[in-house]
Amino acid sequence: MEEKVIKAATVIVTAISIIVAGTLLFFPQLHIRAEENRELRAQEAIERKENMDALEMLQYNTANVDSQDGISFDQQLRIALPENVTPEDVSVENDYLTQTITIKIPGADENYLYNYPMIGKSYHIDNLTYESESEYGVIEISLDSVVELQKTSDEHYIYMDFLTPHEVYDKVVVIDAGHGGNAPGATKQGINEKDIDLAIVLKVKELFDEAGDESVGVYYTRTDDSNPSLEQRVDMANKAGADLFISVHNNSTKSGRMSSINGTAVMYDEEKASEEKGSMQLAQICLEEMTSALGSTNKGIVKGHEIYIIRTAEMPVALIEVGFMTNQDELNELNDDAYQKEAAQAIYNAIYRAFQEGY
Ligand SMILES: [Zn+2]
């Protein structure tokens, strides 16, 4: 009985020795093969990448890093910095109007971007391009939403998170100054409507900036003499998921001739008139706040469904016609800094009143 056990043990020990010896002999071979496989995989990856656009490459590289290193990027992008480039050297621009993020990395050409690519994920990327521009590598990201960028960095990488406005703010407002650029709107006595619209909106912006209310996110379709298309203006409001869309204009008579007609009117979407806390009620709030602050004639709320931005906005919209540029007294007031400030304060108050009323 005991002898049998010893014999069996001997057989097992011998078998293990043979397996270990064999494995040791074979091991360098395995090692070489693994090396070859890796090279082959890298070669294949390069060939595959040549046929990929930048977005496919991002997804491919991210999947590879995910599976190889067990790193996961949930809604975060990571950009590798070239040697001797600090995070401060990299410029990141976030254009809310076009929902485009442009990242300029010094000392990085297009090849760099392909060799040391960005990895990560975001639910909001529509398209991605890598380009070189003089001494910069340029990454351009087109988004399906207005986003707020959260950027962190260390020695080797920049990390970016994209948050929707509502992930950052309780309430979101888009404010639109009418016309702009080579579209002056109404023009009377050398005064352009676009400039008055902008002046009032910039004064609204001052009020919001001064208040610094972190629960409200305010986005502006323009803050200079540019002329975004109507599509861009509405797109921005829709893609910001705005709770309110306020457009600021000034009126003129149909003929454009100077007249006694004066006062404030606010346009709304009559097709959505039945909506509770919709466009009509918002227009009413704006009208009340404007006329009581300015002492202007109440011209009422006006049907505006035929106006593109009113028709296509996905949220309650009000288009405020502050006053008539074809009325001499009102034109003088509209062109006056103090009057513009009062108008701005009234718009600001109307926005907060709308929030109070449940918008
Ligand atoms: Zn206008």
Side-chain angles (χ1 to χ4, degrees):
M1 200 58 167
E2 226 171 83
E3 234 171 79
K4 266 187 190 168
V5 172
I6 292 165
K7 260 186 199 168
T10 311
V11 168
I12 289 164
V13 169
T14 311
I16 289 170
S17 304
I18 289 165
I19 289 163
V20 169
T23 307
L24 283 175
L25 277 170
F26 195 59
F27 183 75
Q29 212 64 19
L30 275 181
H31 186 73
I32 289 164
R33 206 171 290 171
E35 198 67 28
E36 279 170 357
N37 277 341
R38 204 169 302 152
E39 266 171 44
L40 201 69
R41 273 206 308 271
Q43 192 58 43
E44 279 170 5
I46 287 165
E47 279 165 20
R48 228 169 297 159
K49 276 186 204 175
E50 278 167 2
N51 296 318
M52 286 180 189
D53 64 30
L55 185 56
E56 288 168 333
M57 206 167 71
L58 171 71
Q59 285 154 353
Y60 174 80
N61 286 320
T62 303
N64 267 10
V65 171
D66 259 350
S67 60
Q68 280 172 21
D69 303 344
I71 303 172
S72 89
F73 290 86
D74 184 29
Q75 280 222 72
Q76 189 172 60
L77 292 178
R78 191 188 78 181
I79 299 165
L81 294 167
E83 238 172 283
N84 301 322
V85 172
T86 67
E88 292 73 38
D89 299 330
V90 176
S91 84
V92 180
E93 252 177 66
N94 182 7
D95 185 352
Y96 298 130
L97 182 71
T98 59
Q99 299 92 47
T100 307
I101 289 175
T102 308
I103 304 156
K104 284 190 176 183
I105 309 169
D109 58 13
E110 200 179 325
N111 280 340
Y112 175 88
L113 293 170
Y114 276 92
N115 290 333
Y116 299 87
M118 182 163 75
I119 61 166
K121 284 174 196 157
S122 166
Y123 299 125
H124 299 297
I125 298 179
D126 253 358
N127 198 19
L128 180 68
T129 57
Y130 296 149
E131 270 166 41
S132 35
E133 199 178 271
S134 59
E135 286 131 57
Y136 292 93
V138 182
I139 301 173
E140 200 172 273
I141 305 170
S142 307
L143 302 153
D144 65 5
S145 167
V146 170
V147 300
E148 288 298 334
L149 202 67
Q150 285 195 338
K151 203 176 69 164
T152 54
S153 57
D154 58 29
E155 225 183 310
H156 302 291
Y157 300 105
I158 291 177
Y159 305 88
M160 294 190 307
D161 285 293
F162 301 149
L163 300 175
T164 62
H166 270 294
E167 286 173 312
V168 179
Y169 306 106
D170 289 343
K171 297 291 175 191
V172 176
V173 188
V174 169
I175 302 178
D176 173 49
H179 317 280
N182 53 19
T187 299
K188 281 287 144 221
Q189 301 166 12
I191 301 163
N192 293 323
E193 186 204 331
K194 64 169 186 174
D195 296 324
I196 296 176
D197 298 345
L198 179 63
I200 293 170
V201 166
L202 288 179
K203 287 177 169 70
V204 178
K205 184 174 186 300
E206 256 172 56
L207 292 170
F208 274 105
D209 291 350
E210 276 165 25
D213 184 346
E214 286 177 9
S215 69
V216 180
V218 191
Y219 297 87
Y220 304 87
T221 56
R222 70 182 183 99
T223 52
D224 57 22
D225 190 29
S226 57
N227 181 24
S229 70
L230 296 178
E231 288 82 358
Q232 281 180 316
R233 294 172 201 244
V234 178
D235 224 33
M236 181 181 173
N238 290 344
K239 288 184 174 170
D243 299 299
L244 303 175
F245 184 28
I246 309 280
S247 186
V248 177
H249 284 255
N250 279 284
N251 227 332
S252 61
T253 53
K254 278 211 176 89
S255 69
R257 262 180 246 126
M258 297 303 278
S259 87
S260 59
I261 297 168
N262 66 87
T264 305
V266 182
M267 298 182 101
Y268 70 102
D269 190 347
E270 69 274 19
E271 301 272 301
K272 295 176 186 160
S274 61
E275 274 180 23
E276 226 184 293
K277 295 186 194 78
S279 176
M280 189 164 99
Q281 203 180 321
L282 177 65
Q284 192 61 46
I285 291 170
C286 291
L287 183 69
E288 285 169 18
E289 293 296 324
M290 298 298 287
T291 50
S292 73
L294 298 173
S296 55
T297 305
N298 186 331
K299 299 287 286 179
I301 56 170
V302 177
K303 291 174 183 176
H305 184 73
E306 63 179 33
I307 308 282
Y308 179 85
I309 64 163
I310 292 179
R311 191 172 59 240
T312 52
E314 291 165 2
M315 69 292 303
V317 54
L319 189 154
I320 303 170
E321 301 275 11
V322 183
F324 275 79
M325 293 182 61
T326 41
N327 180 275
Q328 190 63 58
D329 289 342
E330 209 155 53
L331 179 63
N332 295 344
E333 290 194 299
L334 290 170
N335 203 32
D336 177 69
D337 194 69
Y339 195 82
Q340 291 171 358
K341 265 187 193 145
E342 283 177 70
Q345 185 69 56
I347 292 169
Y348 179 86
N349 292 349
I351 289 167
Y352 272 96
R353 193 178 134 196
F355 291 153
Q356 270 170 6
E357 294 189 12
Y359 279 86

